Amino acid sequence: MRRALASLAVALCALSLTAGCGSDDDGGSGGSGSKETKVIDVTIKGDSVTPNGDRVDVSVGQPIELKVTADAAGEIHVHSSPEQELEYDEGTSTVKLTPIDKPGTVDVESHALEKTIVQLEVR
Ligand SMILES: [Cu+2]
């Protein structure tokens, strides 16, 4: 699972057009229970979303940020309980999620595009 995550991070970095990869070094010694902010790069262009339904592991209570790069403003829907509706602007913006306090799978979606961006595997 860890290896899959690492390659996901690499893939996301490769997709990111802006510099700044490397500041969020996830591959370090961090054992279980890490509460470092999980940063997920999201690119929304036209009617395509990257990532598109990938699973991302997070810990219960871990801070989560979406770094959204979009060609138009919109809204992200987080199927946590309670649900979260988070707006983003055109260009690059950082969207903070309220940490999720229960284990489970939480879908993060764009309803406008009818796409699942990521599924958070909260454990
Ligand atoms: Cu939704």
Side-chain angles (χ1 to χ4, degrees):
M1 214 46 188
R2 280 216 152 269
R3 193 191 287 161
L5 258 190
S7 54
L8 173 62
V10 169
L12 289 178
C13 277
L15 287 167
S16 172
L17 296 177
T18 49
C21 276
S23 56
D24 178 40
D25 186 10
D26 230 5
S29 55
S32 56
S34 162
K35 291 290 195 270
E36 263 177 54
T37 301
K38 182 76 172 182
V39 179
I40 304 169
D41 286 312
V42 177
T43 303
I44 299 171
K45 201 173 179 192
D47 59 1
S48 79
V49 175
T50 308
N52 189 0
D54 290 359
R55 295 192 170 199
V56 177
D57 280 350
V58 297
S59 305
V60 169
Q62 182 175 11
I64 305 164
E65 280 181 13
L66 304 179
K67 206 173 121 201
V68 180
T69 303
D71 59 0
E75 202 173 76
I76 286 173
H77 189 201
V78 182
H79 283 235
S80 50
S81 99
E83 300 183 1
Q84 302 176 45
E85 286 183 3
L86 305 166
E87 294 182 0
Y88 58 85
D89 294 321
E90 183 181 347
T92 301
S93 42
T94 299
V95 174
K96 281 187 210 281
L97 275 65
T98 303
I100 294 156
D101 58 6
K102 288 189 206 76
T105 303
V106 173
D107 289 346
V108 178
E109 303 176 335
S110 162
H111 278 202
L113 302 180
E114 297 184 343
K115 292 209 157 90
T116 300
I117 302 166
V118 290
Q119 289 188 308
L120 301 173
E121 294 269 348
V122 186
R123 50 185 90 219

